[in-house]
Amino acid sequence: MQTIPETATLLNHQVTSVLVIDHRLTASYANAAAAQLFGLGSHRLRQAPLPEMCEQLGMSTIQLERAVKERQSLTVNTATLITLDGRQHAVDITLVPLELENAASQQPLSLLELRQVDQQRRIHQQLSQDAQQQAAQYLVRNLAHEIKNPLGGLRGAAQLLDRELADPQLKEFTTMIIEQADRLRNLVDRLLGPQKPTPHTLHSIHEVTEKVLQLLALTLPQNIRIQRDYDPSIPDIAMDADQLQQALLNIVQNAVQALAGQRGEIRLRSRTQHQVTIGNIRHKLVLELSVTDNGPGIPPELMDTLFYPMVTGRDAGSGLGLSIAHNIARLHGGRIDCTSTPGHTEFTLLLPVLQQPA
């Protein structure tokens, strides 16, 4: 007969955050999902009342205290939980009184469950975005190939003409044609971007981030400060380091451009998440690398098409950086999420650490 795991082990494998709280809203137990949701260790979560462990709990503290004291059940749908690091989560909250032996002689305890619903929204949004972007990329690829063929002929004709011309002033025009043809070819190549997975080898994600920051340091304005918040325990990941470096560089450069002309901060944060669904595959362990800036934010009308080719909110932008970054993440079995409000824009790169689906 197969042995059933202990209750704590079972709860730690739950995707739903589970806490046991008393009438003061202090937790005596928190599972792994709760620690991950609040961004705090289980021990830390038990040191103070729950409202002190976040900026916004998503429901009335008084109402929650009363429900625990009176051993009542409580349900709140789609509440906004804001953790101490400023991250917002949409959660369904359920409170159920714990029926314990000798409950009359003990302080009342309740089981508090917080189920993230923003992840389901992100999964749906990702699948929709992937389908739309793949259609857009298919169109762009066909268009790019149609452009490259006559462009090559145009450049070749200009080169032949250049050899026949003796007048230096006339050669200026053929040189201009060749230069502009090369510029268009480079643009088309960038539009096409990487299309197939390349060989992956094990690398530390922090090696990639540090290389990006080294490149950035050469041109980083003095008004912008870089903050690092790394988890050194993250294992190496199978990746194309050059591609991921390019993807991350595109995201960080976007943050730098968003802070143009103002004092600001860019924070790179690495963590791991358990039991995360990317596309239609659930992964046991996933790397979460976020790039956050305190700039003006992304216009709401751009959010749904942010990763499409040629979509940009800047007059001088090409609209290719985020599209390429999104495609590189897809080729690594990952995804990029974005949340943005004035003063807080966060791009989050999610990559499987363990390639086998859970």
Side-chain angles (χ1 to χ4, degrees):
M1 183 175 180
Q2 191 171 8
T3 304
I4 298 176
E6 296 181 358
T7 302
T9 302
L10 291 172
L11 288 173
N12 279 328
H13 280 76
Q14 288 286 315
V15 177
T16 302
S17 300
V18 178
L19 303 100
V20 176
I21 59 173
D22 60 21
H23 67 284
R24 295 183 298 272
L25 305 188
T26 300
S28 56
Y29 171 79
N31 71 345
Q36 180 175 300
L37 175 62
F38 284 87
L40 303 168
S42 298
H43 179 71
R44 172 87 186 278
L45 274 174
R46 299 194 296 269
Q47 291 180 336
L50 206 55
E52 297 180 19
M53 297 291 101
C54 58
E55 292 186 8
Q56 180 177 320
L57 187 54
M59 64 179 301
S60 167
T61 302
I62 296 174
Q63 182 184 15
L64 189 58
E65 288 177 342
R66 183 184 301 119
V68 175
K69 287 179 182 177
E70 298 177 1
R71 292 188 167 93
Q72 295 178 348
S73 298
L74 190 64
T75 300
V76 179
N77 293 322
T78 323
T80 300
L81 171 71
I82 303 179
T83 53
L84 292 178
D85 57 5
R87 306 179 73 187
Q88 296 187 20
H89 303 275
V91 294
D92 288 344
I93 301 175
T94 304
L95 183 78
V96 179
L98 276 179
E99 300 296 337
L100 303 173
E101 295 182 6
N102 301 321
S105 62
Q106 296 181 6
Q107 292 290 344
L109 295 175
S110 291
L111 192 71
L112 182 68
E113 296 181 58
L114 298 96
R115 186 171 67 88
Q116 287 184 257
V117 295
D118 47 1
Q119 187 174 95
Q120 280 72 25
R121 290 177 180 175
R122 285 174 181 161
I123 292 170
H124 175 75
Q125 184 181 26
Q126 183 203 356
L127 292 173
S128 176
Q129 281 185 345
D130 283 350
Q132 293 176 9
Q133 189 178 42
Q134 284 179 17
Q137 286 181 341
Y138 179 76
L139 177 63
V140 167
R141 283 199 299 272
N142 287 337
L143 181 61
H145 286 301
E146 290 298 322
I147 291 173
K148 287 184 78 170
N149 290 332
L151 196 60
L154 180 66
R155 189 185 191 282
Q159 285 179 314
L160 291 174
L161 182 60
D162 184 76
R163 294 171 188 169
E164 300 295 327
L165 293 174
D167 189 344
Q169 290 185 341
L170 293 177
K171 284 196 171 194
E172 289 181 8
F173 294 107
T174 54
T175 300
M176 184 184 300
I177 293 172
I178 292 170
E179 288 176 350
Q180 293 304 310
D182 288 342
R183 186 182 68 83
L184 286 173
R185 185 183 61 191
N186 291 334
L187 177 61
V188 169
D189 288 339
R190 290 183 64 200
L191 273 170
L192 290 172
Q195 298 302 318
K196 295 181 179 179
T198 50
H200 291 183
T201 53
L202 290 175
H203 292 276
S204 166
I205 190 62
H206 301 131
E207 292 178 4
V208 175
T209 59
E210 287 305 304
K211 285 183 179 179
V212 168
L213 295 181
Q214 286 175 8
L215 291 172
L216 197 67
L218 301 173
T219 57
L220 187 69
Q222 293 184 350
N223 59 296
I224 298 176
R225 184 175 59 175
I226 301 291
Q227 293 286 345
R228 299 169 175 84
D229 182 7
Y230 295 160
D231 179 354
S233 68
I234 294 175
D236 290 351
I237 300 174
M239 66 172 80
D240 181 324
D242 290 338
Q243 282 192 358
L244 277 183
Q245 181 179 315
Q246 183 62 58
L248 184 58
L249 182 62
N250 291 352
I251 295 171
V252 176
Q253 283 179 333
N254 259 37
V256 172
Q257 291 160 358
L259 294 170
Q262 69 178 72
R263 296 186 64 84
E265 178 179 293
I266 298 173
R267 182 165 64 102
L268 277 74
R269 178 179 184 270
S270 64
R271 293 292 187 272
T272 54
Q273 286 193 24
H274 297 269
Q275 303 297 338
V276 175
T277 299
I278 299 177
N280 56 2
I281 300 176
R282 179 171 290 277
H283 298 274
K284 293 180 181 179
L285 188 64
V286 165
L287 161 73
E288 178 189 81
L289 179 64
S290 62
V291 178
T292 307
D293 71 73
N294 57 351
I298 298 169
E301 62 271 17
L302 291 182
M303 289 299 294
D304 288 340
T305 56
L306 193 60
F307 297 105
Y308 286 11
M310 311 300 288
V311 173
T312 178
R314 295 181 293 107
D315 293 337
S318 66
L320 295 176
L322 290 180
S323 175
I324 292 171
H326 182 277
N327 195 40
I328 290 172
R330 181 182 63 82
L331 292 175
H332 282 75
R335 75 168 191 249
I336 299 177
D337 296 332
C338 178
T339 58
S340 183
T341 55
H344 185 93
T345 296
E346 182 173 352
F347 284 89
T348 304
L349 173 64
L350 297 171
L351 294 174
V353 175
L354 302 177
Q355 295 296 334
Q356 299 86 356

